[in-house]
Amino acid sequence: MQARTIRTLVASASVLGALVTPATATATAEDAGVINARGVHAAEDPTVRELLEKCDNGTDSCVFHPAGEPEYFTADAKQVGDPVYNCTPDDQRHNVTWSDTTSQSNSVGLSMTTEAGFGKVFAVSYEQTFQHTWEESHTESQSTFVDTSSHQVGWVERAAQMQKVRGTYELHFEDKFHDHYIWYVNDFEATGPAEDSSSAVSQHTRDMTEDEVNACP
């Protein structure tokens, strides 16, 4: 009966965000608190930061429950490497060497390196659930040819492959924390480099401005 009671509580809070109801929950309804990672918390509730900083740092247990499969997407393209200028009267081919690092982030704006308890818990849960390693960051380096006509500027852009993972943190405390033994942080979202680190790399050109032409040697 107790397990059914806590499942009812979590289900009733689903309007706050995506939830996963842990099968092992055994507390009564009044023992659990629910907070939305991207919502406004009540004055008497802890902040999301307070809860996540307690993960494996004052809790009996802290578990992340992914909600569904990762969502893969292509990030906005951004310039990588330095632009090249063709100040000659002839067409030119330039070799642009560049390096670009894509890092993880999350919906609550907290650092989630594996040194942080909740970051390590997330990475372990991700690996166990999806059989892949969560990358905190990925660096890609290449040399890309850019062809320019006379008095043109050329540059390289990269659009990295990314993924989003959503889910719920479940924290158990030995003693009540803000009046509850169990807290759920719902609708947490982490974004990071996709395991397939391929990226869309493109070359672009435009005509030089008058000031750029005048600056040519």
Side-chain angles (χ1 to χ4, degrees), residues 128-183:
Q128 291 175 342
T129 303
F130 304 114
Q131 305 302 307
H132 299 306
T133 300
W134 175 264
E135 285 193 274
E136 294 182 22
S137 65
H138 174 80
T139 299
E140 186 166 345
S141 301
Q142 286 187 22
S143 291
T144 304
F145 289 115
V146 178
D147 294 319
T148 58
S149 298
S150 176
H151 294 106
Q152 280 193 329
V153 181
W155 69 94
V156 179
E157 292 185 356
R158 177 196 178 215
Q161 301 303 302
M162 305 291 289
Q163 62 176 316
K164 289 181 182 178
V165 179
R166 298 180 176 87
T168 297
Y169 276 93
E170 178 187 356
L171 301 91
H172 289 238
F173 294 86
E174 181 179 0
D175 300 314
K176 283 189 176 182
F177 183 71
H178 286 261
D179 297 327
H180 297 291
Y181 288 108
I182 299 175
W183 277 95

